[in-house]
């Protein structure tokens, strides 16, 4: 690992919250603005570095079907390979623009540029994330098409990103943002020693 950052909190923003899953490639602008406003009001209270993971929702669920990218072994065309990344980075661009309006310093990262799969295991290049954190930014990541040495590529879900992060970064907790109270059981993966995953309101996430 490279020069370390302090322990990080990871917050997963659910795709059903930040996008309109009933529409194609449609952001839930009002919900994203709520998240951005809440974070903006709590930035000075953050006790640890923060990484945001955005669920794909109406972007991530539709793009693989629209462009025939469900399976890396067959049925795809080279001309369409970029489309998953194009669609997902469009979502990240829209989210990042809203956060910037609220003066929340996010920096969007493509998973396809950070992660590749070797022998079935995700390999994460954490150097850009660490540098962004050192510069005062909050990394923002979402699911994407990532290359795979055994099956050409796969659609890497945002749900898997915390596991990849936990292999390389000192995570303190993994939290799921939803508009309902409740709790998840700890993630059962002793090899990765995943921190407890919990489900909280965003205000509790950033204040805790």
């Amino acid at each position: 690992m490279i020069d370390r950052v302090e322990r990080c909190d990871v917050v997963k923003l659910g795709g059903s919250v930040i996008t309109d899953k009933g529409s194609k490639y449609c952001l839930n602008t009002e919900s994203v603005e709520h998240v951005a406003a809440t974070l903006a009001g709590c930035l000075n209270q953050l006790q640890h570095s923060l990484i945001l993971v955005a669920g794909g929702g109406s972007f991530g669920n539709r793009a693989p079907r629209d462009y025939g990218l469900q399976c890396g072994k067959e049925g795809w065309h080279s001309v369409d390979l970029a489309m998953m990344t194009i669609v997902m980075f469009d979502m990240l661009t829209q989210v990042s623009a809203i956060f910037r309006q609220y003066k929340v310093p996010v920096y969007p990262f493509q998973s396809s540029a950070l992660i590749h799969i070797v022998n079935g295991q995700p390999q994460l290049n954490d150097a850009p994330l660490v540098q962004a954190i050192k510069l005062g930014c909050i990394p923002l990541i979402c699911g994407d098409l990532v290359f795979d040495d055994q099956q050409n590529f796969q659609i890497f879900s945002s749900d898997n990103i915390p596991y990849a992060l936990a292999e390389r970064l000192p995570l303190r907790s993994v939290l799921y943002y939803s508009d309902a109270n409740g709790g998840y059981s700890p993630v059962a993966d002793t090899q990765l020693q995943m921190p407890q995953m919990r489900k909280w309101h965003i205000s509790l996430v950033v204040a805790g």
Side-chain angles (χ1 to χ4, degrees), residues 54 56 60 64 69 84 88 111-112 115-117 120-124 141-148 153-165:
L69 301 174
M84 181 71 183
M88 297 313 299
S111 292
S112 55
I115 298 170
H116 66 286
I117 309 299
Q121 298 299 316
Q123 306 296 313
L124 171 73
I141 319 170
C142 68
D144 198 354
L145 181 149
V146 301
F147 293 106
D148 185 313
F153 66 84
Q154 64 171 263
I155 302 302
F156 196 77
S157 169
S158 59
D159 290 334
N160 294 326
I161 291 174
Y163 291 92
L165 293 172

Short mmCIF file of all heavy atoms in Angstrom, two decimals, residues 54 56 60 64 69 84 88 111-112 115-117 120-124 141-148 153-165:
data_model
loop_
_atom_site.label_atom_id
_atom_site.label_comp_id
_atom_site.label_asym_id
_atom_site.label_seq_id
_atom_site.Cartn_x
_atom_site.Cartn_y
_atom_site.Cartn_z
N ALA A 54 -22.01 5.62 -5.08
CA ALA A 54 -23.33 5.90 -5.62
C ALA A 54 -23.92 4.66 -6.28
O ALA A 54 -23.29 4.05 -7.16
CB ALA A 54 -23.27 7.04 -6.63
N GLY A 56 -26.28 2.64 -8.84
CA GLY A 56 -26.54 2.96 -10.25
C GLY A 56 -28.00 3.22 -10.57
O GLY A 56 -28.30 3.98 -11.50
N GLY A 60 -27.46 2.32 -13.89
CA GLY A 60 -26.72 1.06 -13.84
C GLY A 60 -27.54 -0.17 -14.16
O GLY A 60 -27.00 -1.16 -14.68
N PRO A 64 -26.55 -2.11 -19.03
CA PRO A 64 -26.10 -3.42 -19.52
C PRO A 64 -27.10 -4.08 -20.46
O PRO A 64 -26.70 -4.73 -21.44
CB PRO A 64 -25.93 -4.24 -18.23
CG PRO A 64 -25.70 -3.22 -17.16
CD PRO A 64 -26.56 -2.05 -17.55
N LEU A 69 -24.45 -5.92 -22.55
CA LEU A 69 -23.23 -6.08 -21.78
C LEU A 69 -23.42 -6.94 -20.52
O LEU A 69 -22.61 -6.90 -19.61
CB LEU A 69 -22.68 -4.70 -21.37
CG LEU A 69 -22.36 -3.74 -22.52
CD1 LEU A 69 -21.98 -2.37 -21.98
CD2 LEU A 69 -21.25 -4.31 -23.40
N MET A 84 -21.35 1.48 -21.00
CA MET A 84 -21.63 1.40 -19.56
C MET A 84 -20.89 2.51 -18.82
O MET A 84 -21.45 3.22 -17.98
CB MET A 84 -21.21 0.03 -19.02
CG MET A 84 -21.49 -0.16 -17.53
SD MET A 84 -23.26 -0.30 -17.20
CE MET A 84 -23.26 -0.42 -15.40
N MET A 88 -22.59 5.65 -16.84
CA MET A 88 -22.35 5.81 -15.41
C MET A 88 -21.61 7.11 -15.10
O MET A 88 -21.86 7.77 -14.08
CB MET A 88 -21.58 4.61 -14.85
CG MET A 88 -22.32 3.28 -14.97
SD MET A 88 -24.05 3.36 -14.42
CE MET A 88 -23.87 3.83 -12.71
N SER A 111 -14.94 3.46 -11.83
CA SER A 111 -14.46 2.17 -11.34
C SER A 111 -13.62 1.46 -12.38
O SER A 111 -12.68 0.73 -12.06
CB SER A 111 -15.64 1.29 -10.93
OG SER A 111 -16.28 1.80 -9.79
N SER A 112 -13.97 1.66 -13.66
CA SER A 112 -13.22 0.99 -14.73
C SER A 112 -11.76 1.43 -14.77
O SER A 112 -10.90 0.69 -15.26
CB SER A 112 -13.87 1.28 -16.09
OG SER A 112 -13.99 2.68 -16.31
N ILE A 115 -10.32 -0.33 -10.97
CA ILE A 115 -10.48 -1.73 -10.61
C ILE A 115 -10.35 -2.61 -11.84
O ILE A 115 -10.89 -2.29 -12.91
CB ILE A 115 -11.87 -1.97 -9.96
CG1 ILE A 115 -12.00 -1.16 -8.66
CG2 ILE A 115 -12.11 -3.45 -9.69
CD1 ILE A 115 -13.40 -1.14 -8.08
N HIS A 116 -9.65 -3.72 -11.71
CA HIS A 116 -9.70 -4.79 -12.69
C HIS A 116 -9.75 -6.11 -11.93
O HIS A 116 -9.40 -6.19 -10.75
CB HIS A 116 -8.51 -4.73 -13.66
CG HIS A 116 -7.18 -5.01 -13.03
ND1 HIS A 116 -6.53 -4.10 -12.21
CD2 HIS A 116 -6.36 -6.09 -13.10
CE1 HIS A 116 -5.38 -4.60 -11.79
NE2 HIS A 116 -5.25 -5.81 -12.31
N ILE A 117 -10.21 -7.16 -12.61
CA ILE A 117 -10.43 -8.44 -11.97
C ILE A 117 -9.32 -9.40 -12.40
O ILE A 117 -9.10 -9.62 -13.59
CB ILE A 117 -11.80 -9.04 -12.33
CG1 ILE A 117 -12.92 -8.01 -12.10
CG2 ILE A 117 -12.05 -10.32 -11.52
CD1 ILE A 117 -13.07 -7.53 -10.69
N GLY A 120 -10.56 -13.76 -10.66
CA GLY A 120 -11.84 -13.64 -9.97
C GLY A 120 -11.87 -12.67 -8.82
O GLY A 120 -12.92 -12.49 -8.19
N GLN A 121 -10.74 -11.99 -8.54
CA GLN A 121 -10.67 -11.09 -7.40
C GLN A 121 -10.46 -9.65 -7.87
O GLN A 121 -9.60 -9.40 -8.73
CB GLN A 121 -9.53 -11.49 -6.46
CG GLN A 121 -9.69 -12.87 -5.85
CD GLN A 121 -10.95 -12.98 -5.01
OE1 GLN A 121 -11.27 -12.09 -4.22
NE2 GLN A 121 -11.68 -14.08 -5.18
N PRO A 122 -11.21 -8.68 -7.32
CA PRO A 122 -11.00 -7.29 -7.71
C PRO A 122 -9.69 -6.73 -7.19
O PRO A 122 -9.34 -6.92 -6.03
CB PRO A 122 -12.20 -6.57 -7.07
CG PRO A 122 -12.59 -7.43 -5.93
CD PRO A 122 -12.29 -8.85 -6.34
N GLN A 123 -8.96 -6.08 -8.07
CA GLN A 123 -7.71 -5.43 -7.72
C GLN A 123 -7.92 -3.92 -7.83
O GLN A 123 -8.25 -3.42 -8.91
CB GLN A 123 -6.58 -5.87 -8.65
CG GLN A 123 -6.41 -7.38 -8.73
CD GLN A 123 -5.99 -8.00 -7.41
OE1 GLN A 123 -5.07 -7.51 -6.75
NE2 GLN A 123 -6.67 -9.06 -7.02
N LEU A 124 -7.75 -3.22 -6.73
CA LEU A 124 -8.03 -1.78 -6.68
C LEU A 124 -6.74 -0.98 -6.63
O LEU A 124 -5.87 -1.24 -5.80
CB LEU A 124 -8.88 -1.46 -5.45
CG LEU A 124 -9.09 0.03 -5.13
CD1 LEU A 124 -10.06 0.65 -6.13
CD2 LEU A 124 -9.61 0.22 -3.71
N ILE A 141 -17.65 7.27 -6.20
CA ILE A 141 -17.45 6.12 -7.08
C ILE A 141 -18.80 5.45 -7.33
O ILE A 141 -19.68 5.49 -6.47
CB ILE A 141 -16.48 5.09 -6.44
CG1 ILE A 141 -15.31 5.78 -5.75
CG2 ILE A 141 -15.97 4.11 -7.47
CD1 ILE A 141 -14.46 4.86 -4.91
N CYS A 142 -18.95 4.81 -8.46
CA CYS A 142 -20.16 4.03 -8.72
C CYS A 142 -19.78 2.75 -9.44
O CYS A 142 -18.63 2.54 -9.81
CB CYS A 142 -21.17 4.84 -9.53
SG CYS A 142 -20.66 5.17 -11.22
N GLY A 143 -20.75 1.87 -9.64
CA GLY A 143 -20.52 0.66 -10.39
C GLY A 143 -20.18 0.97 -11.85
O GLY A 143 -20.44 2.07 -12.35
N ASP A 144 -19.61 -0.03 -12.53
CA ASP A 144 -19.12 0.23 -13.89
C ASP A 144 -18.78 -1.10 -14.55
O ASP A 144 -18.76 -2.15 -13.91
CB ASP A 144 -17.87 1.12 -13.82
CG ASP A 144 -17.53 1.82 -15.11
OD1 ASP A 144 -18.17 1.55 -16.14
OD2 ASP A 144 -16.60 2.65 -15.10
N LEU A 145 -18.47 -1.07 -15.83
CA LEU A 145 -17.85 -2.19 -16.50
C LEU A 145 -16.37 -2.19 -16.14
O LEU A 145 -15.71 -1.15 -16.25
CB LEU A 145 -18.03 -2.07 -18.02
CG LEU A 145 -17.45 -3.18 -18.89
CD1 LEU A 145 -18.29 -3.36 -20.15
CD2 LEU A 145 -15.99 -2.88 -19.30
N VAL A 146 -15.87 -3.33 -15.68
CA VAL A 146 -14.44 -3.44 -15.38
C VAL A 146 -13.90 -4.64 -16.14
O VAL A 146 -14.61 -5.62 -16.39
CB VAL A 146 -14.17 -3.58 -13.87
CG1 VAL A 146 -14.72 -2.38 -13.11
CG2 VAL A 146 -14.74 -4.87 -13.30
N PHE A 147 -12.64 -4.60 -16.50
CA PHE A 147 -12.04 -5.67 -17.28
C PHE A 147 -11.64 -6.84 -16.37
O PHE A 147 -11.28 -6.65 -15.22
CB PHE A 147 -10.86 -5.13 -18.08
CG PHE A 147 -11.29 -4.17 -19.15
CD1 PHE A 147 -11.07 -2.80 -19.01
CD2 PHE A 147 -11.95 -4.62 -20.28
CE1 PHE A 147 -11.49 -1.91 -19.99
CE2 PHE A 147 -12.37 -3.75 -21.27
CZ PHE A 147 -12.14 -2.38 -21.12
N ASP A 148 -11.75 -8.03 -16.94
CA ASP A 148 -11.60 -9.27 -16.19
C ASP A 148 -10.70 -10.20 -17.00
O ASP A 148 -10.94 -10.43 -18.19
CB ASP A 148 -12.99 -9.89 -16.00
CG ASP A 148 -13.00 -11.12 -15.13
OD1 ASP A 148 -12.16 -12.00 -15.34
OD2 ASP A 148 -13.88 -11.21 -14.25
N PHE A 153 -14.75 -9.04 -19.36
CA PHE A 153 -15.19 -7.93 -18.51
C PHE A 153 -16.37 -8.41 -17.68
O PHE A 153 -16.94 -9.48 -17.92
CB PHE A 153 -15.60 -6.71 -19.35
CG PHE A 153 -16.82 -6.94 -20.22
CD1 PHE A 153 -18.11 -6.78 -19.71
CD2 PHE A 153 -16.68 -7.32 -21.54
CE1 PHE A 153 -19.22 -7.01 -20.51
CE2 PHE A 153 -17.80 -7.55 -22.35
CZ PHE A 153 -19.07 -7.39 -21.82
N GLN A 154 -16.72 -7.62 -16.70
CA GLN A 154 -17.94 -7.86 -15.93
C GLN A 154 -18.52 -6.52 -15.49
O GLN A 154 -17.82 -5.51 -15.46
CB GLN A 154 -17.68 -8.74 -14.71
CG GLN A 154 -16.77 -8.14 -13.67
CD GLN A 154 -16.73 -8.98 -12.39
OE1 GLN A 154 -17.44 -8.70 -11.43
NE2 GLN A 154 -15.88 -10.02 -12.39
N ILE A 155 -19.80 -6.53 -15.18
CA ILE A 155 -20.43 -5.35 -14.61
C ILE A 155 -20.19 -5.40 -13.10
O ILE A 155 -20.70 -6.29 -12.42
CB ILE A 155 -21.93 -5.28 -14.94
CG1 ILE A 155 -22.14 -5.29 -16.46
CG2 ILE A 155 -22.55 -4.04 -14.31
CD1 ILE A 155 -21.45 -4.17 -17.20
N PHE A 156 -19.40 -4.47 -12.62
CA PHE A 156 -19.00 -4.46 -11.21
C PHE A 156 -19.98 -3.59 -10.44
O PHE A 156 -20.01 -2.37 -10.58
CB PHE A 156 -17.58 -3.93 -11.09
CG PHE A 156 -16.92 -4.23 -9.76
CD1 PHE A 156 -16.44 -5.49 -9.50
CD2 PHE A 156 -16.80 -3.24 -8.80
CE1 PHE A 156 -15.83 -5.78 -8.29
CE2 PHE A 156 -16.19 -3.51 -7.59
CZ PHE A 156 -15.70 -4.79 -7.32
N SER A 157 -20.81 -4.23 -9.63
CA SER A 157 -21.86 -3.53 -8.91
C SER A 157 -21.29 -2.59 -7.85
O SER A 157 -20.25 -2.88 -7.23
CB SER A 157 -22.79 -4.55 -8.23
OG SER A 157 -23.67 -3.91 -7.33
N SER A 158 -21.99 -1.50 -7.62
CA SER A 158 -21.58 -0.59 -6.55
C SER A 158 -21.62 -1.28 -5.19
O SER A 158 -20.90 -0.89 -4.27
CB SER A 158 -22.48 0.65 -6.52
OG SER A 158 -23.84 0.29 -6.33
N ASP A 159 -22.43 -2.34 -5.05
CA ASP A 159 -22.47 -3.08 -3.79
C ASP A 159 -21.15 -3.75 -3.48
O ASP A 159 -20.85 -4.04 -2.31
CB ASP A 159 -23.58 -4.14 -3.83
CG ASP A 159 -24.97 -3.54 -3.82
OD1 ASP A 159 -25.13 -2.41 -3.29
OD2 ASP A 159 -25.89 -4.19 -4.33
N ASN A 160 -20.35 -4.03 -4.51
CA ASN A 160 -19.06 -4.69 -4.31
C ASN A 160 -17.92 -3.72 -4.05
O ASN A 160 -16.82 -4.14 -3.65
CB ASN A 160 -18.72 -5.54 -5.53
CG ASN A 160 -19.68 -6.70 -5.72
OD1 ASN A 160 -20.18 -7.26 -4.75
ND2 ASN A 160 -19.96 -7.04 -6.97
N ILE A 161 -18.15 -2.44 -4.28
CA ILE A 161 -17.07 -1.47 -4.13
C ILE A 161 -16.54 -1.41 -2.70
O ILE A 161 -15.31 -1.36 -2.49
CB ILE A 161 -17.51 -0.09 -4.64
CG1 ILE A 161 -17.66 -0.14 -6.16
CG2 ILE A 161 -16.51 1.00 -4.25
CD1 ILE A 161 -18.22 1.13 -6.78
N PRO A 162 -17.39 -1.40 -1.66
CA PRO A 162 -16.83 -1.39 -0.29
C PRO A 162 -15.89 -2.55 0.00
O PRO A 162 -14.91 -2.39 0.72
CB PRO A 162 -18.09 -1.44 0.60
CG PRO A 162 -19.15 -0.80 -0.22
CD PRO A 162 -18.87 -1.26 -1.63
N TYR A 163 -16.17 -3.73 -0.57
CA TYR A 163 -15.28 -4.87 -0.37
C TYR A 163 -13.91 -4.60 -0.99
O TYR A 163 -12.87 -4.92 -0.39
CB TYR A 163 -15.89 -6.13 -0.97
CG TYR A 163 -17.11 -6.62 -0.24
CD1 TYR A 163 -18.38 -6.22 -0.63
CD2 TYR A 163 -17.01 -7.51 0.83
CE1 TYR A 163 -19.51 -6.68 0.04
CE2 TYR A 163 -18.12 -7.97 1.49
CZ TYR A 163 -19.38 -7.55 1.09
OH TYR A 163 -20.49 -7.99 1.75
N ALA A 164 -13.91 -4.04 -2.20
CA ALA A 164 -12.65 -3.72 -2.85
C ALA A 164 -11.89 -2.65 -2.08
O ALA A 164 -10.66 -2.71 -1.93
CB ALA A 164 -12.92 -3.25 -4.29
N LEU A 165 -12.61 -1.66 -1.57
CA LEU A 165 -11.98 -0.61 -0.77
C LEU A 165 -11.37 -1.18 0.50
O LEU A 165 -10.27 -0.78 0.92
CB LEU A 165 -13.00 0.47 -0.41
CG LEU A 165 -13.54 1.32 -1.56
CD1 LEU A 165 -14.68 2.21 -1.07
CD2 LEU A 165 -12.44 2.19 -2.18
#
